[in-house]
């Protein structure tokens, strides 16, 4: 539970339940790399990490390649910054022998604290019938409620696929049939050596129109194509924005962060945005505090007619994800009073009956 300092916006406010909707448990160790693209990929990730992380909180490249489970638990829950996390897989099996961040690895991690995590699956329409059977396996074994899609992923001679293709529609039909309602396409910044154009947000349009029973959570809100994303999302009520990558700009590009939030709240409103740290790209241990205290400039407030009020931030930081994933926040608070994570990190006061405020 995020607990404010008692100053400013969070004075006398109750704690905020935080669902980090975009986390990873990856392995980019040199032993796991089988293609030069694997080394390029993790080094590009590391450049993003150092570019938007406070200097005193940066990891070394060796720490960043592969981190232990204990460190991730400490970073997510150690100071109470996060209450629940949603794993988003990124297989990249052309680059990494055992995959970069796989569904099965994430599920193994989550199995020790299942009440704290949601495990999402993935699909790649280029895998044909075998891929459809694999999607069914993920649903059967892990009861996945969502899938992360990486449209710029390489497979043999192909360097990407489109979400509005006939083959992808067959998989979206399977998702609807299986009750996998939350579709998370990465539509945003590229990572070397993947192609920027393969991450273009435009192919979400026809998919969202054709499958109104599904929710399309566009990860990274289409950056750097924010305008395309906003115009698309404005006409498609089942399109949401995932704030991973946008969120850390609150740290050293606060005006840019305010501009992004202004556009998103103006076009989509406060009910269709989800916080995500993109861990371990960035660490919620400092990022949650930074985002919760971000401010728009007076000019931005006037232009967009919005403010980052506690009510708006509660929705973005947890309530919107809870709605999409059918999470009862009050029931979770009761459940977390004495679970293993609370005992390990001494978080009992975060989940006391009646809640707490910043001044308690």
């Amino acid at each position: 539970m995020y607990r404010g300092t008692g100053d400013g916006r969070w004075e006398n406010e109750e704690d905020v339940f935080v669902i980090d909707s975009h986390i990873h448990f990856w392995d980019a160790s040199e032993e796991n790399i089988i293609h030069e693209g694997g080394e390029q990929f993790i080094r590009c990730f590391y450049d993003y990490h150092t570019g938007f992380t406070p200097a005193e909180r940066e990891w070394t490249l060796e720490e960043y390649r592969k981190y232990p489970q204990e460190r991730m638990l400490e970073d997510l829950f150690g100071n109470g910054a996060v209450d629940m996390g949603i794993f988003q897989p990124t297989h990249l099996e052309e680059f990494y022998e055992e995959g970069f961040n796989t569904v099965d690895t994430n599920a193994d991690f989550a199995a020790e604290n299942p009440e704290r995590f949601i495990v999402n699956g993935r699909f790649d329409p280029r895998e044909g019938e075998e891929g459809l059977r694999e999607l069914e396996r993920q649903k059967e074994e892990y009861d996945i409620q969502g899938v992360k899609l990486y449209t710029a992923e390489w497979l043999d001679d192909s360097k990407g696929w489109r979400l509005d293709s006939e083959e992808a529609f067959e998989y979206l039909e399977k998702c609807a049939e299986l009750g996998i309602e939350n579709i998370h396409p990465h539509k945003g910044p590229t990572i070397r050596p993947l192609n920027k154009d393969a991450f273009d947000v435009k192919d979400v349009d026809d998919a969202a129109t054709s499958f109104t029973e599904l929710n399309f959570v566009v990860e990274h809100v289409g950056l750097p194509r924010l305008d395309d994303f906003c115009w698309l999302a404005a006409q498609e009520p089942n399109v949401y924005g995932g704030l991973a990558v946008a969120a850390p700009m609150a740290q050293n590009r606060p005006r840019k962060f305010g501009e992004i939030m202004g556009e998103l709240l103006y076009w989509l409103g406060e009910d269709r945005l989800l916080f995500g740290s993109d861990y371990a790209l960035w660490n919620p241990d400092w990022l949650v505090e930074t985002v919760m205290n971000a401010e728009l400039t007076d000019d931005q407030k006037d232009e967009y007619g919005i403010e980052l009020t506690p009510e708006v931030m509660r929705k973005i930081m947890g309530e919107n994800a809870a709605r999409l994933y059918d999470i009862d926040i009050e029931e979770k608070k009761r459940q977390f009073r004495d679970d293993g994570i609370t005992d390990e990190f001494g978080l009992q006061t975060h989940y006391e009956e009646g809640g707490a405020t910043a001044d308690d």
Side-chain angles (χ1 to χ4, degrees):
M1 301 279 283
Y2 172 74
R3 179 165 295 174
T5 60
D7 299 324
R9 178 188 302 155
W10 298 104
E11 185 176 3
N12 298 321
E13 287 289 333
E14 290 187 358
D15 292 351
V16 178
F17 193 89
V18 176
I19 300 175
D20 190 336
S21 68
H22 200 133
I23 61 173
H24 310 286
F25 183 53
W26 69 55
D27 178 2
S29 61
E30 293 179 351
E31 296 75 18
N32 195 30
I33 293 175
I34 55 174
H35 183 284
E36 62 181 358
E39 183 65 18
Q40 293 169 353
F41 188 88
I42 191 60
R43 285 183 178 269
C44 187
F45 255 33
Y46 189 64
D47 287 343
Y48 280 122
H49 166 75
T50 55
F52 291 94
T53 294
E56 68 277 14
R57 307 303 293 271
E58 291 179 10
W59 297 17
T60 67
L61 177 59
E62 290 312 304
E63 289 176 306
Y64 200 68
R65 287 182 183 276
K66 183 179 181 180
Y67 39 90
Q69 188 165 324
E70 295 75 15
R71 177 169 191 165
M72 184 168 175
L73 291 174
E74 172 75 29
D75 287 340
L76 294 180
F77 304 114
N79 70 351
V82 171
D83 298 286
M84 295 184 66
I86 301 176
F87 279 110
Q88 305 286 4
T90 317
H91 278 211
L92 297 174
E93 289 170 346
E94 295 284 309
F95 298 165
Y96 299 98
E97 183 170 12
E98 302 296 332
F100 179 66
N101 157 49
T102 70
V103 176
D104 292 326
T105 301
N106 292 338
D108 288 343
F109 186 119
E112 294 187 19
N113 298 283
E115 69 283 359
R116 293 280 184 163
F117 294 105
I118 289 171
V119 176
N120 273 349
R122 48 82 71 183
F123 70 71
D124 184 330
R126 296 169 297 185
E127 296 172 356
E129 290 295 326
E130 183 179 351
L132 288 169
R133 289 193 293 273
E134 168 60 16
L135 185 61
E136 291 174 341
R137 180 192 74 85
Q138 293 168 23
K139 179 63 179 179
E140 182 177 348
E141 289 193 20
Y142 307 130
D143 193 24
I144 58 171
Q145 301 174 59
V147 287
K148 171 74 181 296
L149 306 179
Y150 225 55
T151 55
E153 186 160 357
W154 291 5
L155 181 64
D156 299 326
D157 295 331
S158 169
K159 292 189 176 180
W161 55 275
R162 291 185 62 89
L163 193 56
D164 57 1
S165 66
E166 181 179 343
E167 295 78 11
F169 272 30
E170 188 176 359
Y171 277 73
L172 293 174
E173 288 171 1
K174 176 62 72 174
C175 285
E177 174 190 326
L178 295 174
I180 302 170
E181 296 182 349
N182 299 311
I183 313 299
H184 293 253
H186 173 122
K187 293 295 181 183
T190 190
I191 306 103
R192 192 183 183 201
L194 306 180
N195 291 346
K196 178 183 169 190
D197 286 347
F199 281 138
D200 193 305
V201 70
K202 293 177 182 174
D203 57 347
V204 175
D205 190 0
D206 191 24
T209 302
S210 301
F211 294 90
T212 56
E213 68 273 46
L214 302 179
N215 306 309
F216 291 82
V217 184
V218 174
E219 296 295 346
H220 320 302
V221 293
L223 293 173
R225 303 171 172 101
L226 182 64
D227 277 352
D228 281 351
F229 170 70
C230 286
W231 284 89
L232 184 161
Q235 68 171 357
E236 306 289 354
N238 57 333
V239 170
Y240 296 72
L243 293 177
V245 173
M249 291 192 185
Q251 196 273 135
N252 58 351
R253 295 285 308 279
R255 185 176 181 83
K256 182 68 175 178
F257 177 76
E259 176 187 330
I260 293 170
M261 294 303 295
E263 294 288 345
L264 292 171
L265 288 167
Y266 181 85
W267 290 103
L268 279 72
E270 62 200 53
D271 295 324
R272 289 198 280 152
L273 300 175
L274 281 67
F275 169 76
S277 69
D278 226 342
Y279 185 90
L281 268 159
W282 297 283
N283 195 332
D285 186 39
W286 61 265
L287 182 59
V288 170
E289 180 76 26
T290 301
V291 170
M292 290 299 236
N293 289 285
E295 295 282 1
L296 306 185
T297 66
D298 288 341
D299 287 348
Q300 289 170 338
K301 292 176 185 176
D302 289 342
E303 178 178 350
Y304 297 114
I306 54 102
E307 291 193 39
L308 301 178
T309 65
E311 291 73 25
V312 169
M313 296 307 294
R314 286 180 195 283
K315 291 183 177 181
I316 294 172
M317 300 304 289
E319 291 176 0
N320 291 340
R323 189 175 70 253
L324 292 184
Y325 281 88
D326 197 24
I327 296 168
D328 184 332
I329 290 178
E330 293 307 315
E331 176 57 32
K332 283 292 182 183
K333 290 179 186 176
R334 287 190 285 273
Q335 190 178 6
F336 292 169
R337 284 175 196 157
D338 57 0
D339 76 339
I341 293 293
T342 291
D343 290 343
E344 181 174 355
F345 297 109
L347 302 175
Q348 286 80 4
T349 61
H350 286 245
Y351 303 111
E352 290 175 341
E353 192 168 3
T357 68
D359 287 345
D360 288 346

